């Protein structure tokens, strides 16, 4: 089976009702990134930060995967698929994708603010326990925080992600502005001879020297077009 590796961003969840970050009306326009997505913002006002992610979590439990997530999961019938996502929602998994690498954390998890990557203090939230209330503590006594990789923090999953990209026979990029590193640099790990497909309604810049086919469309339609193109290629 050919190995198909997909890098997804906020755009793939847009048709499930989630605002992207950098489009007009995006999350960073309404919520200053330095307040809700940096360690400094957290130290300044942890309750404000928790409230922001509590809101996103409430939205997430009522949201559904869209056709783009579903098509990606269905591709597992014909390909060995790895999804590398910058998204913190769980829509890929809920659509049925079995191998998902989260680069920027997971909205449905919470962790220690002293030692965010310590697996002993990572807890999973659910529909009945959706919000992190002010003052809630993690197992090590520090404040419980969202399990999200903020700006300025390391991205522990970038290495396993890069390993996957190195082995890819097909690489697909969906719904990301490729503005945030190290995720945006993953394309450099592709073998130069493999086909790369980029699905986005807007123009997204990619480095030269790669075999990139642009499918300029929204994720649901773009993914359907991708399946046709993959079939034609055989
Ligand atoms: P951006 O908001 O930067 O980019 C979203 C991309 O999705 C843009 O290129 C849009 O054109 C595209 N888009 C919009 N609607 C779409 C649709 N219906 N179908 C397909 N594409 C569509 O979001 P990301 O690139 O994901 O990190 O942002 C990367 C990271 O920056 C995020 O993971 C987040 C943010 O700061 C953290 O929160 C740590």
């Amino acid at each position: 089976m050919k190995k198909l590796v997909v890098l997804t961003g906020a755009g793939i969840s847009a048709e499930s009702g989630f605002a992207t970050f950098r489009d007009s009306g995006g999350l960073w326009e309404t919520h200053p990134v330095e307040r809700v997505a940096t360690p400094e913002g957290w130290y300044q006002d942890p309750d404000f930060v928790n409230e922001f992610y509590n809101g996103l979590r409430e939205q997430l439990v009522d949201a559904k995967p869209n056709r783009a997530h579903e098509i990606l999961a269905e591709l597992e019938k014909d390909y060995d698929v790895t999804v590398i996502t910058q998204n913190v929602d769980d829509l890929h998994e809920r659509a049925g994708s079995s191998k998902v690498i989260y680069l920027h954390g997971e909205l449905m998890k919470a962790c220690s603010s002293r030692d965010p990557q310590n697996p002993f203090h990572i807890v999973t939230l659910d529909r009945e326990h959706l919000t992190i209330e002010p003052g809630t503590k993690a197992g090590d006594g520090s404040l419980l925080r969202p399990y999200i990789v903020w700006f300025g923090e390391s991205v522990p999953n970038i290495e396993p992600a890069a390993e996957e990209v190195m082995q890819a026979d097909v690489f697909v990029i969906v719904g990301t502005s490729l503005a945030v590193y190290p995720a945006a640099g993953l394309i450099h790990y592709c073998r130069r001879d493999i086909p790369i497909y980029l699905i986005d309604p807007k123009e997204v810049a990619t480095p030269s020297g790669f075999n990139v086919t642009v499918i300029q469309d929204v994720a649901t339609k773009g993914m359907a077009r991708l399946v046709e193109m993959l079939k034609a290629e055989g």
Side-chain angles (χ1 to χ4, degrees):
M1 246 188 197
K2 279 190 179 172
K3 188 172 179 69
L4 188 135
V5 178
V6 187
L7 172 67
T8 66
I12 198 166
S13 296
E15 291 163 89
S16 291
F18 285 95
T20 58
F21 295 96
R22 294 175 184 78
D23 289 301
S24 75
L27 274 179
W28 293 159
E29 208 171 272
T30 47
H31 299 81
V33 60
E34 42 318 321
R35 286 191 73 189
V36 298
T38 62
E40 293 75 20
W42 166 261
Y43 291 128
Q44 230 157 50
D45 194 346
D47 294 349
F48 181 81
V49 175
N50 272 331
E51 220 172 274
F52 170 70
Y53 292 96
N54 287 344
L56 289 182
R57 226 174 274 122
E58 275 168 11
Q59 195 187 341
L60 177 57
V61 291
D62 289 329
K64 288 193 181 66
N66 64 51
R67 195 62 202 128
H69 298 105
E70 286 168 6
I71 292 173
L72 196 40
E74 289 163 11
L75 279 170
E76 292 189 13
K77 280 186 255 155
D78 299 311
Y79 292 87
D80 169 14
V81 180
T82 302
V83 180
I84 301 168
T85 188
Q86 299 167 85
N87 299 345
V88 297
D89 65 51
D90 57 0
L91 298 177
H92 285 302
E93 272 173 80
R94 275 158 57 189
S97 282
S98 54
K99 216 191 303 171
V100 183
I101 298 177
Y102 292 93
L103 291 177
H104 293 160
E106 293 173 67
L107 191 54
M108 292 308 288
K109 291 185 177 170
C111 62
S112 151
S113 51
R114 185 181 303 142
D115 190 6
Q117 295 301 331
N118 186 333
F120 290 105
H121 303 308
I122 296 174
V123 293
T124 301
L125 305 164
D126 57 31
R127 199 173 258 278
E128 279 70 47
H129 308 90
L130 262 190
T131 57
I132 304 177
E133 299 301 332
T136 309
K137 300 272 170 47
D140 62 359
S142 70
L143 281 180
L144 193 65
R145 63 164 257 190
Y147 183 56
I148 304 285
V149 174
W150 289 325
F151 286 95
E153 296 188 312
S154 64
V155 181
N157 279 343
I158 197 67
E159 281 187 27
E163 292 283 336
E164 294 289 323
V165 177
M166 281 195 264
Q167 292 163 28
D169 299 306
V170 183
F171 187 53
V172 182
I173 302 169
V174 191
T176 171
S177 62
L178 293 178
V180 173
Y181 284 82
L186 280 172
I187 188 171
H188 290 285
Y189 290 87
C190 287
R191 284 200 326 261
R192 294 301 187 269
D193 59 321
I194 68 164
I196 299 175
Y197 296 90
L198 185 143
I199 301 171
D200 201 293
K202 284 197 197 143
E203 221 172 283
V204 176
T206 50
S208 59
F210 294 92
N211 174 16
V212 181
T213 302
V214 174
I215 301 175
Q216 196 164 359
D217 215 331
V218 292
T220 50
K221 291 191 187 142
M223 284 299 297
R225 283 172 64 188
L226 172 73
V227 170
E228 292 310 313
M229 290 165 107
L230 290 174
K231 265 189 204 145
E233 231 177 56

